[in-house]
Amino acid sequence: MKLPRTLHVAAFAAIAAIISVAALTGCRASRPAAAGTGEHAAEMTLAERASDVAAANLPWTQLNLPVKIAVKSPQKISLSGRIYMRRDRDIYITLRVLGMEVANMYVNSDSVYAADKLHKYYIAEPIKDIFAGASLSIGDIQDALLGRPFINGRGNLTDKMLSGVTLTDTPDNQWIMTPRSKINGKIEYRFKFSKESNALMSLVFNTGSKFYGCTYSSPAEIDGSRFMERIAIATKVGKTAIDATITFDFNKVKWEVPSSARWRNPSGYRRITPATLAKSLGNK
């Protein structure tokens, strides 16, 4: 009976981990960012750095690639699977343990869905509830997951958008890009980059009363476009601590999404709330 219980925890932990990343409820870097631009990055002005970042933020339409989640808490377990994204449309994730699919998740512009396929539970919540009312587009969420800077609701960051950001130097070998327009007119957000590589190191949201953010590591350069391969989560779902690392394998990326990678309303599953998810994790 131990194996089903372990898989049960893995399914719930996987759902909680991915929702935590999507909702940006608190992440930390697993290791420092590596150089991504080259030896001349350290000599650039702030304006040149911003242009370099925009130049490496090339558009894409579809992608799918392997993903691995290493959960340390509430129970140590490793999951693997694939993530599928259609630009500005949706995100679909499927996860496996020991070759068995234990969880999947789907995010579109309206809702977040997630399912424990072992015990037939699922979650379906309006996206505004998951993001605490913040008006993030599906494109914003995709960029946040992939470690790519964005301007809220405007799609890929381009050189023409740089007139709408403030650039700030810092004494800790980093620099900051802050969009002047706030999310919902009140939530400030900023991106911090390495001076050595211009690779994204962190994204922070300031709601006025709380800070939320993600830190990134391991930049991947693909045909002139930059993505970040690793995010580590340190957060809580209810009273339960979630500690996990998510790693994308861009060496095996494919630039198309099969029609089968989509959410299907589960038949015979029981719908639960995020609060019930937190309670279940806390009892494991």
Side-chain angles (χ1 to χ4, degrees), residues 28-121:
R28 57 173 172 76
S30 55
R31 60 189 174 93
T37 298
E39 60 183 6
H40 300 300
E43 304 172 3
M44 292 180 175
T45 65
L46 282 176
E48 289 171 338
R49 292 182 185 283
S51 293
D52 178 70
V53 167
N57 214 40
L58 299 177
W60 56 274
T61 55
Q62 298 184 28
L63 64 81
N64 85 74
L65 69 162
V67 61
K68 182 177 181 180
I69 299 181
V71 180
K72 295 181 181 179
S73 175
Q75 180 168 321
K76 188 174 181 179
I77 196 163
S78 181
L79 309 97
S80 60
R82 295 195 75 87
I83 182 168
Y84 306 85
M85 298 190 191
R86 299 174 182 88
R87 183 59 176 169
D88 297 319
R89 179 179 168 185
D90 57 16
I91 302 167
Y92 181 72
I93 304 171
T94 179
L95 294 171
R96 295 176 179 272
V97 176
L98 303 177
M100 180 185 299
E101 186 176 24
V102 297
N104 60 14
M105 179 177 174
Y106 182 76
V107 185
N108 60 21
S109 59
D110 298 318
S111 303
V112 176
Y113 305 91
D116 169 1
K117 302 195 74 173
L118 292 177
H119 292 73
K120 296 188 176 182
Y121 301 144

Side-chain angles (χ1 to χ4, degrees), residues 150-152 178-179 181 183 187-191 203-205:
F150 60 89
I151 305 297
N152 179 226
T178 305
S181 59
I183 300 172
I187 301 174
E188 181 183 86
Y189 61 110
R190 64 177 183 269
F191 303 90
L203 164 60
V204 175
F205 293 85

